[in-house]
Amino acid sequence: MFRLLILSLMQSALLAGGQVFLKVAMQRAPKFSFTWPIIRNYLTNWPFLYCGICMGAASLLWFYILKHYEFSVAYPLVSFSYVFGMIASVVVFHEVVPVTRWIGLALIVSGTFLLLR
């Protein structure tokens, strides 16, 4: 189970990292329209590329996890991406997170650890 936990943490970190890069890319991108300059801007947006790399790597790792572990144990561990996402919202985007969300996050983490037992 320890190996599954490590793999799930890596997969969740990649998944959350991809979402962070996507948010940064969308903040930098102009309003979307089907014009060549706008499409070129999206295609040359480096955070958008990094988003794709992170999401692709997370998907490949998820394929491995699904192949080698029970779905009923592996799938709930994806919820660790919420932890990484919440931390990124504070560290990267300087958002203020209310206490109730931290409590909810603690409940999610405690639930995943109960699953692993």
Side-chain angles (χ1 to χ4, degrees):
M1 281 299 172
F2 183 71
R3 181 175 167 84
L4 174 59
L5 178 62
I6 296 300
L7 290 171
S8 294
L9 287 172
M10 289 171 40
Q11 192 266 346
S12 294
L14 286 166
L15 192 61
Q19 293 296 328
V20 168
F21 281 123
L22 182 60
K23 176 145 176 84
V24 170
M26 294 300 101
Q27 287 175 336
R28 292 182 181 181
K31 184 177 178 181
F32 186 79
S33 66
F34 287 103
T35 62
W36 179 244
I38 299 297
I39 292 171
R40 186 176 55 230
N41 182 285
Y42 274 84
L43 294 176
T44 58
N45 191 333
W46 288 104
F48 194 65
L49 173 68
Y50 297 147
C51 165
I53 292 169
C54 284
M55 294 296 210
S59 295
L60 291 174
L61 194 51
W62 181 239
F63 297 160
Y64 178 84
I65 291 169
L66 285 178
K67 175 80 174 159
H68 293 93
Y69 297 97
E70 293 180 23
F71 187 73
S72 62
V73 177
Y75 190 73
L77 295 178
V78 174
S79 62
F80 279 118
S81 62
Y82 296 126
V83 175
F84 294 121
M86 188 83 80
I87 293 168
S89 72
V90 172
V91 174
V92 177
F93 301 113
H94 308 290
E95 296 177 4
V96 177
V97 179
V99 174
T100 54
R101 288 190 200 146
W102 289 111
I103 292 170
L105 196 64
L107 290 172
I108 289 171
V109 170
S110 60
T112 55
F113 280 112
L114 284 174
L115 252 161
L116 289 173
R117 298 199 88 201

